[in-house]
Amino acid sequence: MDTLIDAVALKDRLDSARETGRRTVLLDVRWALGDPHGHDHYLREHIRGAIFVDLATELAGPAEPSRGRHPLPTPQQFQESARRWGINDGDAVVAYDDSGNMAAARLWWMLRNAGFRSVQLLDGGLAAWRAAGFELAAGAEQPAPGTVTLSGGAMPAIDAGQAASWGRRGLLLDARAGERYRGEVEPVDPRAGHIPGAVSAPTTGNLQPDGRFLPPAELRERFERLGYRAAVPTAVYCGSGVTAAHEIAALEIAGFPAALYPGSFSEWCHSASNEVITGAAPYGEDAASN
């Protein structure tokens, strides 16, 4: 199944559901760093039929220094959430947010990792739906409980031990903003900088000005400029494993496989034994000049 679906195709699918007999579950993942009011935004307006997904409590377990700010929930916990959203085996799922899919991609990756293949991102998110002039609704939606069966481990992932040496043998992409990568600012984590060997690749570079993903050819060019090669294993991290999933989606659109480091920098920087690099070079300015 394609990673993305556009607003017109989604509207057509929803309108023809009675004829085709195939259900599409819409999931609204309204979340952004520094904005805890996603549910309020959802209640004001959302795509009719969409179910709100709380990233902080349903797409993550409790924060732990040893696992990061948004550790993955257990497979059982995630299956319980997916059933609460009304997902059954055989359904199609479309996830969206109002921030270029920066949050919705986390749900996309988690469902894919759980073995659920029929999941897509609404390209451009809620903004694209609005721009098309399609109907919006207010208030809460109450789905009937679902019966989906999920597993885990279907998507490639790495841990801190692998991240430590990844830059020496592969391509490690840092999906955070450039100023956080360089260590100029750090709004949430206790240390500023990046994992040794990582290359700065902000997720904002995956998007067009309207919040839609760049076309596949442009994404391929972007990641090749950053060092992607078919023979080089690629992994991605961010602050807490949320926007890194957006980079995984962009890489998939480009036709490139990549692994996610779920704990990401928030896990990495809490261990005093893990080195943190500042500056624009993967191994620091001194290493870059040697």
Side-chain angles (χ1 to χ4, degrees):
M1 175 169 278
D2 292 341
T3 308
L4 303 176
I5 185 170
D6 65 33
V8 172
L10 176 58
K11 180 67 162 55
D12 289 345
R13 183 193 294 178
L14 296 174
D15 288 345
S16 62
R18 289 184 179 178
E19 290 75 23
T20 63
R22 190 180 189 196
R23 287 189 351 127
T24 297
V25 178
L26 297 175
L27 299 177
D28 183 311
V29 195
R30 217 81 63 87
W31 179 90
L33 186 64
D35 180 1
H37 306 296
H39 189 246
D40 293 336
H41 302 321
Y42 163 84
L43 290 175
R44 278 196 292 272
E45 61 173 10
H46 57 263
I47 299 175
R48 183 170 296 280
I51 308 304
F52 179 72
V53 174
D54 186 356
L55 185 146
T57 62
E58 296 180 301
L59 302 185
E64 300 177 24
S66 63
R67 298 182 64 215
R69 284 184 281 110
H70 291 113
L72 294 173
T74 67
Q76 179 62 32
Q77 289 169 332
F78 186 50
Q79 178 175 276
E80 290 171 1
S81 294
R83 290 180 175 181
R84 193 162 53 247
W85 305 327
I87 302 176
N88 298 319
D89 292 319
D91 287 344
V93 171
V94 175
Y96 72 89
D97 57 33
D98 203 13
S99 55
N101 283 310
M102 294 291 179
R106 166 82 164 199
L107 175 56
W108 168 85
W109 186 90
M110 287 177 62
L111 280 171
R112 289 281 302 276
N113 187 56
F116 192 92
R117 299 286 302 181
S118 299
V119 54
Q120 294 174 292
L121 295 168
L122 172 58
D123 197 14
L126 190 60
W129 189 264
R130 286 194 201 99
F134 297 145
E135 181 184 16
L136 293 168
E141 309 274 357
Q142 298 296 333
T147 57
V148 69
T149 299
L150 300 178
S151 56
M155 293 285 276
I158 67 170
D159 59 21
Q162 293 168 299
S165 59
W166 200 272
R168 298 291 184 189
R169 64 184 186 88
L171 176 64
L172 182 62
L173 298 177
D174 184 318
R176 298 172 301 160
E179 59 269 24
R180 292 183 70 190
Y181 168 89
R182 296 187 295 271
E184 296 164 4
V185 298
E186 181 44 63
V188 284
D189 291 319
R191 289 197 282 168
H194 60 266
I195 298 174
V199 174
S200 181
T203 49
T204 51
N206 299 328
L207 297 176
Q208 302 178 65
D210 62 2
R212 291 181 300 124
F213 280 87
L214 293 170
E218 293 183 33
L219 287 170
R220 285 192 290 273
E221 290 176 6
R222 178 184 193 228
F223 291 119
E224 286 170 349
R225 286 196 305 270
L226 291 167
Y228 182 90
R229 299 293 182 271
V232 177
T234 299
V236 186
Y237 74 92
C238 59
S240 64
V242 174
T243 57
H246 190 279
E247 200 104 292
I248 300 291
L251 283 154
E252 180 170 289
I253 294 164
F256 299 154
L260 176 73
Y261 173 20
S264 285
F265 191 73
S266 62
E267 176 186 277
W268 177 269
C269 71
H270 270 89
S271 174
S273 63
N274 288 336
E275 184 181 8
V276 172
I277 301 293
T278 58
Y283 288 101
E285 302 300 341
D286 292 340
S289 63
N290 291 336

